[in-house]
C-alpha cells in the first residue's frame, strides 16, 4: 500500500468544506478506505429549513456527470435533473428562437444545488469510514503539523490533526490563506463589474410558464438574463448587470420600467407584483474569478474546486470543473500508489493549466457577451459554428461542444480552437483568392462579347426603356 508505513485505512483525510466538491471528494476518498472527516462551517443543510445562498440551480454537463458516475451517483442525480436540449433565445420583440446544443444525446441538465449537495452528503455518509462534522468552521491550520483549529457555534474551539487536508472551502477559502503566506505561490483575483440577482418565475395553471427543456437566454449586451427550469415547474431567472446599474434601480416602479425596456416578455411571466418585491429581497451578488498555483503544500494539503479556481459563471463550468478535479486527482492516486508526496505535485502539474484555461474562457465569454452579444449576434454566431461543424464534422468542433460535451482537457480544447480558427481563416483566404484568380482567368480567356454601340444609340435605347 502507501509508503510511510501507514496503510490508507490508518490515514486521516480531512475534507474542509461540505459543499458540492467537498461532499463528492468525501465519497472518492472514502471509497479508497481512508478515514475521512468532513468539516463544514454550516449546519447540516438536510435539516435546515431554508438555505439561502448562491444560485438555486446549475447546469450539469459531461465532466460533472462523469465525476458522479465514478462514485455511482450519476443516475440518482440525472433522474432529478431537467434536460435542456437547446437554448431558447428571447429577442427584444418577444420572438423565441431555439438553437440545439448538438445531436440528440447532447443536452445539459438543470439540477437543484441544494438537492445535489444533500444527495452527495448522504452518499458520503453511507461509507462507515466517513464522518460528517457540521458546525465546524475552520479558523486556521498549520502547514508544518497539519493541525487544524475549528470554531464551534458555542464559541469554543476544537483542534484536530490529519495526514492530508483537502481544501474544498470555496472561493473565499480559509485553507488557501496559508498558501498566500508562502514563497512562490501565485495568486490573482478579479471582481467583474457585474452582479447577479435571482428571480423566480412561477408556474402558470400548474404548468411551466415557458418551454421547460431549454436554457432560456435574453442576451442584451450589458444586461443579460438566463432562466433554468426546476422540478417544481418554476424557473429560476438570473439577471446579470453592472453594479452601477443595480444602484440606479431603487423602487418597484424602476424595476418594472427597466424590465419594460429590456425584458418585456418576462414581466407577465414573473408577475408585476412579484417582480417589484422579489427584486429587493437580496442585494445583487458579486462574481469573482480566482486563479492560483500550485494547488498543494508538500504532502499535506491540496486545494480543489472553487478554493483553487473560482470562475465567472459564463460558461456554466464552475461545478463541472470542480467535479472533474476529483476525477483527475483520483487517477493520479492510482498512478502514484496513493503516495501523497508524489500525488500532490503531479496533481498541481497536470491540473493547473486546465483550470486556468477554463477561468480564462469563462472570463473571455463574459467580455464578449457584454461587448456585443445581442440576440441576433448570438443566433448568428452559434449557427455559423454549427454549420461549419456540419460541413467538416471531424475538423471543426465548436468550442462550447468540446468544453461541455467532452472530457478533452480544457487547455487542449483551447489549443484546438485556435488551430480551427486558423484553418477557417485560411479556408476563407483560399476561397477568396480562388474566386479572384478564377474569375480573372475566365474573363481573360473568354472576354465578354459586348457589342460596341455608337454613343448616340445608347441614348435612344435608354429613352425607349423609359417608354
Ligand atoms: P462551494 O459550493 O462554495 O462550497 C464550499 C463549502 O465550504 C460551503 O459549504 C461552505 O459553507 C464551506 N466553507 C467555507 N469556509 C469554510 C470554513 N472556514 N470551514 C468549513 N467550511 C467552510 N457551475 C456549473 O458547473 N454550472 C452552472 O450552471 C453554474 N452556475 C453558476 C451560477 C452562478 C450565479 C454562480 C455564482 C456560480 C455558478 N456555478 C456553476 C459555479 C458553482 O456554483 C461553483 O463552482 C461550485 O459551487 C463550487 O463548489 P465548491 O464545493 O468548490 O464550493
Ligand atoms: C450562466 C449562469 C449561453 C447558468 C454561455 C451559453 C450560465 C449558466 C454559454 C447560470 C450563455 C452563456 C454554456 C452552456 C451555460 C450556451 C456555454 C451559462 C449555464 C458558451 C445559473 N453556458 N451556462 N456557453 O452556449 O457553453 O448556451 O446561472 F448565455 S450552459 Cl453566458 Cl452549454
Amino acid at each position: 500500500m502507501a509508503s510511510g508505513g501507514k496503510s490508507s485505512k490508518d490515514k486521516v483525510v480531512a475534507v474542509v468544506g461540505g459543499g458540492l466538491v467537498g461532499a463528492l471528494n468525501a465519497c472518492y476518498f472514502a471509497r479508497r478506505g481512508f478515514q475521512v472527516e468532513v468539516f463544514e462551517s454550516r449546519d447540516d443543510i438536510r435539516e435546515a429549513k431554508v438555505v439561502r445562498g448562491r444560485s438555486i440551480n446549475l447546469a450539469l454537463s459531461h465532466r460533472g456527470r462523469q465525476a458522479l458516475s465514478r462514485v455511482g451517483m450519476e443516475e440518482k442525480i440525472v433522474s432529478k435533473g431537467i434536460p435542456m436540449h437547446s437554448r431558447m433565445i428571447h429577442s427584444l420583440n418577444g420572438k423565441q428562437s431555439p438553437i440545439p446544443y448538438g445531436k440528440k444525446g447532447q443536452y445539459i441538465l438543470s439540477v437543484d444545488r441544494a438537492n445535489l449537495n444533500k444527495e452527495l452528503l448522504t452518499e458520503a455518509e453511507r461509507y462507515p469510514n466517513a464522518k460528517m462534522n457540521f458546525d465546524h468552521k475552520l479558523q486556521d491550520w498549520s502547514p508544518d503539523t497539519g493541525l487544524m483549529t475549528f470554531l464551534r457555534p458555542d464559541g469554543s474551539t476544537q483542534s484536530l490533526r490529519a495526514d492530508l487536508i483537502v481544501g474544498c472551502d470555496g472561493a473565499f477559502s480559509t485553507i488557501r490563506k496559508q498558501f498566500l503566506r508562502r514563497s512562490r505561490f501565485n495568486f490573482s483575483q478579479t471582481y467583474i463589474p457585474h452582479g447577479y440577482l435571482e428571480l423566480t418565475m412561477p408556474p402558470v395553471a400548474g404548468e411551466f410558464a415557458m418551454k421547460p427543456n431549454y436554457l432560456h437566454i435574453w442576451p442584451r449586451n450589458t444586461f443579460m438574463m438566463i432562466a433554468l427550469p426546476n422540478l417544481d415547474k418554476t424557473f429560476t431567472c438570473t439577471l446579470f448587470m453592472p453594479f452601477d446599474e443595480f444602484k440606479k434601480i431603487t423602487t418597484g416602479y424602476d424595476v418594472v420600467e427597466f424590465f419594460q425596456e429590456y425584458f418585456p416578455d418576462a414581466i407577465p411571466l414573473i408577475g408585476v407584483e412579484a417582480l417589484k418585491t422579489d427584486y429587493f429581497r437580496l442585494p445583487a451578488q458579486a462574481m469573482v474569478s480566482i486563479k492560483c498555483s500550485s494547488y498543494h503544500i508538500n504532502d499535506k494539503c491540496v486545494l480543489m474546486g472553487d478554493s483553487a479556481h473560482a470562475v465567472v459563471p459564463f460558461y456554466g463550468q464552475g461545478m463541472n470543473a470542480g467535479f472533474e478535479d476529483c476525477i483527475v486527482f483520483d487517477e493520479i492516486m492510482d498512478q502514484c500508489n496513493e503516495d501523497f508526496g508524489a500525488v500532490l505535485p503531479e496533481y498541481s502539474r497536470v491540473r493547473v493549466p486546465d483550470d486556468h484555461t477554463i477561468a480564462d474562457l469563462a472570463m473571455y465569454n463574459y467580455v464578449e457577451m457584454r461587448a456585443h452579444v445581442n440576440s441576433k449576434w448570438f443566433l448568428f454566431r452559434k449557427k455559423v459554428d454549427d454549420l461549419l461543424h456540419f460541413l467538416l464534422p471531424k475538423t471543426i468542433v465548436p468550442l462550447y461542444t468540446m468544453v461541455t460535451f467532452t472530457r478533452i482537457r480544457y487547455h487542449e480544447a483551447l489549443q484546438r480552437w485556435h488551430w480551427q480558427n486558423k484553418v477557417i481563416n485560411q479556408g476563407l483566404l483560399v476561397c477568396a483568392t480562388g474566386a479572384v484568380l478564377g474569375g480573372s482567368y475566365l474573363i481573360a480567356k473568354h472576354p465578354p462579347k459586348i457589342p460596341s454601340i455608337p454613343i448616340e444609340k445608347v441614348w435612344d435605347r435608354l429613352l425607349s426603356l423609359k417608354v
Side-chain angles (χ1 to χ4, degrees):
M1 268 255 152
S3 58
K6 276 185 178 178
S7 84
S8 64
K9 284 188 186 57
D10 307 319
K11 285 193 176 170
V12 176
V13 173
V15 175
V16 177
L20 298 178
V21 174
L24 180 62
N25 244 335
C27 299
Y28 272 87
F29 284 100
R31 210 169 52 127
R32 288 186 175 274
F34 292 102
Q35 294 302 319
V36 178
E37 299 277 346
V38 178
F39 298 99
E40 165 58 48
S41 57
R42 294 172 303 180
D43 189 5
D44 188 341
I45 52 164
R46 291 164 298 181
E47 261 123 64
K49 278 169 227 81
V50 271
V51 195
R52 273 281 69 207
R54 259 178 320 152
S55 68
I56 296 157
N57 53 23
L58 303 137
L60 173 69
S61 52
H62 182 70
R63 294 173 202 265
R65 287 183 63 164
Q66 284 289 304
L68 291 170
S69 89
R70 296 198 182 196
V71 290
M73 287 297 284
E74 188 184 11
E75 248 324 291
K76 189 149 208 168
I77 301 305
V78 167
S79 67
K80 285 199 176 173
I82 301 176
M84 300 182 287
H85 303 273
S86 304
R87 309 108 170 151
M88 185 66 88
I89 309 303
H90 294 243
S91 301
L92 199 51
N93 63 14
K95 186 167 182 263
Q96 298 188 22
S97 322
I99 324 175
Y101 277 113
K103 292 183 283 288
K104 202 150 182 290
Q106 289 185 321
Y107 58 86
I108 56 178
L109 289 151
S110 173
V111 299
D112 182 273
R113 178 193 289 272
N115 176 254
L116 177 56
N117 207 157
K118 288 175 188 172
E119 297 277 14
L120 288 173
L121 288 170
T122 299
E123 176 64 17
E125 267 182 344
R126 285 185 44 212
Y127 294 89
N129 51 323
K131 187 168 161 252
M132 300 294 148
N133 304 273
F134 296 103
D135 291 317
H136 278 68
K137 186 181 172 67
L138 181 81
Q139 272 189 315
D140 202 1
W141 67 283
S142 160
D144 300 320
T145 61
L147 193 72
M148 302 169 285
T149 318
F150 296 96
L151 182 65
R152 306 302 317 279
D154 62 5
S156 66
T157 59
Q158 191 179 324
S159 291
L160 263 140
R161 198 186 314 279
D163 294 289
L164 176 69
I165 299 171
V166 186
C168 302
D169 50 348
F172 306 101
S173 170
T174 303
I175 292 286
R176 202 176 54 218
K177 287 196 178 121
Q178 284 297 334
F179 284 66
L180 286 162
R181 301 166 54 110
R182 296 171 71 87
S183 169
R184 301 187 59 211
F185 179 66
N186 301 300
F187 179 79
S188 77
Q189 106 175 7
T190 310
Y191 279 92
I192 58 173
H194 277 60
Y196 73 90
L197 191 142
E198 290 177 318
L199 300 165
T200 302
M201 187 182 280
V204 173
E207 266 313 312
F208 280 105
M210 305 181 294
K211 288 194 168 173
N213 296 106
Y214 295 83
L215 182 115
H216 291 263
I217 310 174
W218 291 256
R220 305 281 186 269
N221 299 342
T222 322
F223 312 113
M224 180 168 89
M225 194 161 71
I226 279 188
L228 273 69
N230 298 307
L231 275 184
D232 64 3
K233 304 204 167 164
T234 61
F235 278 92
T236 304
C237 305
T238 311
L239 170 66
F240 296 92
M241 82 178 164
F243 277 101
D244 288 343
E245 302 288 338
F246 274 116
K247 264 191 236 145
K248 290 184 194 161
I249 296 174
T250 57
T251 67
Y253 176 82
D254 296 342
V255 180
V256 176
E257 194 179 51
F258 170 76
F259 268 72
Q260 230 16 298
E261 186 164 356
Y262 294 100
F263 312 107
D265 61 332
I267 298 177
L269 301 179
I270 298 173
V272 176
E273 288 313 310
L275 189 59
K276 283 179 178 168
T277 53
D278 267 24
Y279 186 95
F280 297 102
R281 227 165 20 95
L282 281 171
Q285 304 288 304
M287 286 170 280
V288 67
S289 182
I290 295 174
K291 288 200 269 186
C292 69
S293 68
S294 297
Y295 290 161
H296 71 285
I297 293 179
N298 305 327
D299 59 352
K300 267 265 138 344
C301 181
V302 63
L303 301 173
M304 290 165 87
D306 276 18
S307 68
H309 49 80
V311 308
V312 291
F314 300 94
Y315 237 107
Q317 283 293 309
M319 165 194 63
N320 286 289
F323 279 7
E324 195 178 45
D325 288 348
C326 302
I327 307 183
V328 171
F329 191 92
D330 196 57
E331 284 176 351
I332 295 171
M333 285 284 272
D334 283 338
Q335 288 160 22
C336 301
N337 292 314
E338 301 185 348
D339 171 5
F340 298 148
V343 173
L344 269 51
E346 178 64 3
Y347 173 73
S348 283
R349 189 187 70 78
V350 170
R351 195 56 179 164
V352 165
D354 292 316
D355 287 334
H356 284 201
T357 300
I358 193 60
D360 291 342
L361 284 175
M363 186 61 86
Y364 176 85
N365 211 36
Y366 161 66
V367 173
E368 169 142 314
M369 298 279 299
R370 171 186 70 174
H372 51 239
V373 178
N374 54 28
S375 52
K376 274 216 179 85
W377 181 252
F378 192 100
L379 288 163
F380 174 73
R381 279 300 299 268
K382 296 290 177 222
K383 279 181 184 161
V384 170
D385 271 10
D386 292 344
L387 176 72
L388 287 166
H389 180 50
F390 175 78
L391 294 174
L392 301 161
K394 289 261 155 63
T395 317
I396 311 286
V397 181
L399 183 57
Y400 79 82
T401 305
M402 293 190 275
V403 167
T404 309
F405 298 115
T406 77
R407 281 207 54 222
I408 298 175
R409 293 181 60 183
Y410 289 126
H411 88 272
E412 283 172 10
L414 178 64
Q415 278 173 358
R416 188 159 165 196
W417 184 62
H418 285 314
W419 175 84
Q420 287 178 183
N421 287 342
K422 243 190 207 161
V423 171
I424 293 168
N425 284 333
Q426 273 165 11
L428 286 175
L429 192 67
V430 167
C431 287
T433 314
V436 169
L437 290 182
S440 316
Y441 171 79
L442 285 176
I443 290 173
K445 190 149 184 218
H446 311 282
K449 298 194 178 59
I450 304 166
S452 48
I453 314 165
I455 191 74
E456 60 276 14
K457 289 233 170 117
V458 174
W459 186 243
D460 291 349
R461 282 198 187 190
L462 279 174
L463 281 178
S464 66
L465 262 178
K466 209 176 164 191
V467 181

